[in-house]
Amino acid sequence: MAQVVEVLVEGGKASPGPPLGPAIGPLGLNVKQVVDEINKATKDFEGMQVPVKIIVTDPKKKTFEIEVGVPPVSQLIKKEIGAPKGSSEPGHSPVGNLTMEQVIRIAKAKQEQMLAADLKAAAKEVIGTALSMGVTVEGKDPREVQKEIDEGVYDEIFANAEE
């Protein structure tokens, strides 16, 4: 049976230190080789925490595969708004604003891992995360935008996004 190690690393900046080194060292893999592969695979997610699976395919030959997941919604939101972190006072002092197009882009990236039935539901989940981070959507309170989605205000944008 293949051994699997799951870690969260900063995109393009994995290092042989913790959490990676101690997790893969006992598996007998070449740590530098694993780190190089992870950095190559995650370079597009620079500055974000990215879930990575290291699958040991053959322990005798020391072969492995890397599976890169999609960063958490909060990380994708921070990248979109260019903020280092969410608001320390969500609801009182917003740290940024998302457009509906940005919300849909994040929802599409994460939809497979969400429980959402469709793109609208996935977008509402993203907006819920934005609310807890102190990020406005279309310049409004995220709860207001979620109601507008239910009322069909953004139907045309969703229709274009699903094409």
Side-chain angles (χ1 to χ4, degrees), residues 2-161:
Q3 291 178 294
V4 179
V5 175
E6 295 184 42
V7 291
L8 205 56
V9 298
E10 186 174 342
K13 293 188 177 170
S15 70
L20 216 45
I24 56 178
L27 302 178
L29 298 176
N30 178 332
V31 178
K32 183 183 178 344
Q33 191 179 359
V34 174
V35 168
D36 290 346
E37 285 285 319
I38 290 172
N39 285 337
K40 193 164 59 178
T42 62
K43 68 178 181 292
D44 292 342
F45 297 118
E46 197 168 321
M48 291 190 274
Q49 295 294 310
V50 186
V52 175
K53 273 188 193 174
I54 300 130
I55 303 152
V56 181
T57 51
D58 186 343
K60 287 184 177 67
K61 293 182 184 170
K62 298 182 183 344
T63 56
F64 63 92
E65 290 176 6
I66 304 279
E67 280 183 18
V68 177
V70 179
V73 171
S74 59
Q75 296 283 326
L76 296 171
I77 289 173
K78 288 191 296 188
K79 182 178 183 191
E80 287 289 342
I81 64 170
K85 62 183 182 129
S87 174
S88 56
E89 296 179 36
H92 299 292
S93 56
V95 292
N97 181 59
L98 287 171
T99 64
M100 197 47 134
E101 288 78 11
Q102 289 172 310
V103 167
I104 290 171
R105 187 167 42 243
I106 294 168
K108 280 181 156 183
K110 289 296 287 185
Q111 193 170 6
E112 279 182 29
Q113 297 158 343
M114 293 176 156
L115 298 172
D118 58 20
L119 187 57
K120 276 187 181 180
K124 286 171 66 177
E125 279 190 44
V126 171
I127 292 168
T129 302
L131 171 67
S132 67
M133 292 176 67
V135 175
T136 58
V137 179
E138 294 289 333
K140 305 174 199 162
D141 181 298
R143 289 172 284 229
E144 192 178 323
V145 177
Q146 286 178 324
K147 281 185 195 138
E148 290 176 350
I149 289 172
D150 292 338
E151 293 164 1
V153 173
Y154 299 103
D155 281 359
E156 192 174 318
I157 295 172
F158 282 105
N160 293 337

